[in-house]
Amino acid sequence: ANDIKYPPFYSSEQFFSSVLRVGSANTQLWTHYDIMDNMLLEVRGTKRLIMFHPSDIDYLYVDGDKSLVNNIEEPDLETYPLVRQATAYTGVL
């Protein structure tokens, strides 16, 4: 924990909980919606991200905090036609 230095975006009083998710190579997370701000870091290797602006939520078929669209890169457009209207932003860490 002491090796991770958070950028000064927030004061330490604003941090109240955190989830540590550790994944192995080729791990793919489901498309989901995070209510709280997140900080993502890659310890070793690279990680490709696909993100959407919160205003696209109506196009992503979100139920609770997860999207019903199982494969966001090749969605079933017959079942989820509104996905076409969402704009994906891709990045690599």
Side-chain angles (χ1 to χ4, degrees):
N2 291 332
D3 291 338
I4 299 172
K5 306 296 184 219
Y6 296 101
F9 296 134
Y10 305 99
S11 67
S12 60
E13 294 81 34
Q14 291 177 295
F15 287 100
F16 63 91
S17 69
S18 61
V19 174
L20 176 62
R21 185 175 284 148
V22 178
S24 58
N26 303 313
T27 298
Q28 182 176 340
L29 289 179
W30 57 93
T31 304
H32 64 280
Y33 181 79
D34 289 319
I35 294 173
M36 305 303 276
D37 291 333
N38 281 250
M39 195 169 297
L40 179 63
L41 57 103
E42 183 69 19
V43 175
R44 183 174 148 200
T46 61
K47 176 68 64 190
R48 190 170 64 89
L49 309 168
I50 301 172
M51 297 178 284
F52 298 88
H53 192 276
S55 64
D56 281 347
I57 193 167
D58 292 333
Y59 311 136
L60 297 171
Y61 299 87
V62 174
D63 182 17
D65 64 347
K66 295 171 186 62
S67 173
L68 299 175
V69 182
N70 291 325
N71 184 348
I72 202 66
E73 293 185 88
E74 295 179 23
D76 177 351
L77 296 175
E78 197 168 302
T79 305
Y80 306 110
L82 295 178
V83 167
R84 290 183 183 104
Q85 297 179 54
T87 302
Y89 298 92
T90 304
V92 177
L93 293 177

